[in-house]
Amino acid sequence: MALAPDTARTPRSDTDQAPAIDAPSLRFFVFGLFFIFGGITSLNDIIIPKLKDLFTLNYTQAMLVQFCFFAAYAIVGIPGAQLVKRVGYMRGAVVGLLAMMLGCLLFIPASAYATYPLFLFALFVLASGVVVVQVVANPLISLLGPARTASSRLTFAQAFNSLGTTLFPYVGAILILGSLAGTDSKGLTGAALDAYRTAESRAIVQGYVGLAIALAVIAGVVWLLRDRLKGERHESASLLSGLALLRRPRFGFGALSIFLYVGAEVAIGSLLVSYLEQPHALGLTEQQAGKLIPFYWGGALIGRFIGSASLRFINPGMALTGVALSAITLVLVAAGMAGPVGAYALLAVGLANAIMFPTIFSLACAGLGTRTADGSGVINVAICGGAIVPLLVGGLADWSGSLSVGLMIPVACYAAIGCYGLFARKPVA
């Protein structure tokens, strides 16, 4: 096969050819990208209970929100990497931001027609833009500094992602979930039901139209900075050549770990409102439970700032194994204990999640050099775990009649991630 020469390369040769990018001021730009796509992604946790109520969905049907959002990673990940390699990191970011803007605007017809599939399509378009932005952000922050501190630097950038995921859900809970407390769709049918859904979904539309305006402004600023990046270069390769990287055990296992991590994190975040509403948990209203979601993502925020400093001195692989074991313990406590103990244990999983994505990403991409964009594209495909795992968790919860049983799937995901930490604990030769 034509891919053989690429796959036969050693990690060392790739590293030696790594591009030297001299643009320290762009770190702040990348931090902003992390903040934006993190916040927008976390809003799914708010609109899931909203749409679940409006369209009378079960857990499996409600998880189609995450399925359609994260399926974009599988479909757009590799083409997105090819686009970034063709037009460059900065212009690629502009394309991604404009696609996100279009996705936000598609909520307008989705609300007007009060149709669940249209909301799902809008989320898919929005996520497609997020994918392209992430293809830019993850490798770029890794390349804006020494390779030996890539894990620390990416973890620090991910902290801004967590800042977005902490702030957006709280505001979203007030704007989007607040109206549900005084409404009841039971007994409505036909035109009355459609009118109710249209009226109640306006809160969603207003929020996303505001985001669309902000994204348009940011895209304009990035376009003005499009030539700021110096020293950027990429290795020419075919559309599917990045998949050949999966033959490398370190990268292949890392991509699987990203799939499982994102799936577990998204599944737990998506079900938090439903879990906290349960009488044997905290028995909260939807808005009250929504306001607690920032504690889940805020734990990741705090943990990433701590991790960005500690990973300069601690072996990243062993740190990954340690936090995976912590996550397993917390999920088991949440599944097995009622009341505040179980509820706050599940919220604390966010702290255990903190360093997982950046650590797995940097461990998997170590030594890729000029093929870093290809690796980022494949890993962005692996993020589609956020589409598959939550759907499985929702299906198991519906089948068993218990969210606690459904949480056993994230436990299995974290166990595999812990194994990867041990596997990749040694630096690339």
Side-chain angles (χ1 to χ4, degrees):
M1 294 179 62
L3 300 178
D6 286 338
T7 58
R9 290 183 179 179
T10 63
R12 180 72 182 207
S13 64
D14 283 339
T15 304
D16 292 342
Q17 298 179 35
I21 296 180
D22 182 21
S25 62
L26 287 182
R27 292 186 186 182
F28 299 101
F29 154 72
V30 180
F31 295 158
L33 292 183
F34 275 94
F35 174 81
I36 293 165
F37 71 71
I40 288 178
T41 301
S42 68
L43 279 179
N44 290 353
D45 298 342
I46 297 299
I47 67 172
I48 283 175
K50 180 78 170 186
L51 296 176
K52 187 174 184 291
D53 175 87
L54 293 180
F55 296 99
T56 318
L57 309 173
N58 60 28
Y59 288 121
T60 305
Q61 293 168 332
M63 286 302 174
L64 288 175
V65 167
Q66 301 292 26
F67 179 83
C68 290
F69 191 93
F70 285 94
Y73 285 87
I75 298 171
V76 181
I78 293 177
Q82 292 294 313
L83 172 68
V84 171
K85 289 168 65 175
R86 180 178 296 274
V87 305
Y89 284 121
M90 300 299 286
R91 289 170 174 81
V94 172
V95 173
L97 289 166
L98 292 177
M100 291 166 65
M101 181 191 73
L102 175 60
C104 290
L105 293 176
L106 285 174
F107 279 85
I108 297 174
S111 173
Y113 287 98
T115 304
Y116 187 46
L118 284 179
F119 279 104
L120 298 179
F121 177 70
L123 286 163
F124 175 82
V125 175
L126 173 59
S128 297
V130 171
V131 172
V132 176
V133 171
Q134 223 169 325
V135 168
V136 170
N138 286 323
L140 186 54
I141 195 63
S142 296
L143 297 172
L144 290 174
R148 62 183 177 81
T149 58
S151 291
S152 171
R153 195 163 52 255
L154 185 53
T155 300
F156 186 77
Q158 285 279 335
F160 288 87
N161 178 280
S162 295
L163 180 61
T165 61
T166 301
L167 297 178
F168 278 53
Y170 186 84
V171 176
I174 296 172
L175 297 179
I176 296 174
L177 295 182
S179 62
L180 288 179
T183 60
D184 187 0
S185 61
K186 293 179 180 178
L188 296 179
T189 59
L193 181 59
D194 290 340
Y196 164 77
R197 288 170 172 170
T198 299
E200 284 300 311
S201 61
R202 284 175 186 159
I204 301 177
V205 172
Q206 292 169 358
Y208 279 90
V209 168
L211 286 174
I213 295 171
L215 289 168
V217 173
I218 296 168
V221 173
V222 176
W223 179 253
L224 295 176
L225 300 175
R226 63 190 182 279
D227 295 321
R228 182 74 67 87
L229 195 61
K230 306 298 181 183
E232 176 183 359
R233 60 188 176 89
H234 305 280
E235 179 178 310
S236 298
S238 65
L239 182 64
L240 298 179
S241 64
L243 295 177
L245 295 173
L246 293 173
R247 298 176 184 175
R248 303 183 182 189
R250 184 185 183 99
F251 182 82
F253 195 178
L256 173 62
S257 296
I258 289 289
F259 178 94
L260 297 174
Y261 159 71
V262 175
E265 179 190 52
V266 170
I268 293 173
S270 301
L271 293 171
L272 268 173
V273 171
S274 296
Y275 180 92
L276 297 173
E277 283 183 290
Q278 296 178 118
H280 68 269
L282 295 181
L284 303 178
T285 65
E286 282 180 321
Q287 187 182 37
Q288 289 171 335
K291 289 181 178 179
L292 290 181
I293 289 179
F295 287 97
Y296 177 70
W297 298 109
L301 170 64
I302 295 171
R304 282 169 176 166
F305 279 122
I306 295 173
S308 67
S310 60
L311 283 172
R312 293 177 177 269
F313 312 103
I314 300 174
N315 181 284
M318 297 307 298
L320 180 62
T321 299
V323 294
L325 292 174
S326 299
I328 291 171
T329 301
L330 290 169
V331 176
L332 289 176
V333 169
M337 298 189 68
V341 174
Y344 292 121
L346 195 59
L347 289 169
V349 175
L351 179 62
N353 285 338
I355 68 165
M356 288 191 189
F357 185 96
T359 302
I360 296 170
F361 181 91
S362 57
L363 288 174
C365 291
L368 294 187
T370 56
R371 301 206 61 191
T372 299
D374 287 321
S376 179
V378 174
I379 284 183
N380 272 275
V381 172
I383 292 175
C384 74
I388 306 299
V389 175
L391 204 60
L392 295 175
V393 174
L396 183 57
D398 284 330
W399 174 78
S400 65
S402 170
L403 282 180
S404 295
V405 174
L407 290 174
M408 293 304 100
I409 293 179
V411 167
C413 293
Y414 288 126
I417 292 167
C419 292
Y420 178 66
L422 292 175
F423 176 81
R425 67 188 184 278
K426 295 181 179 179
V428 175

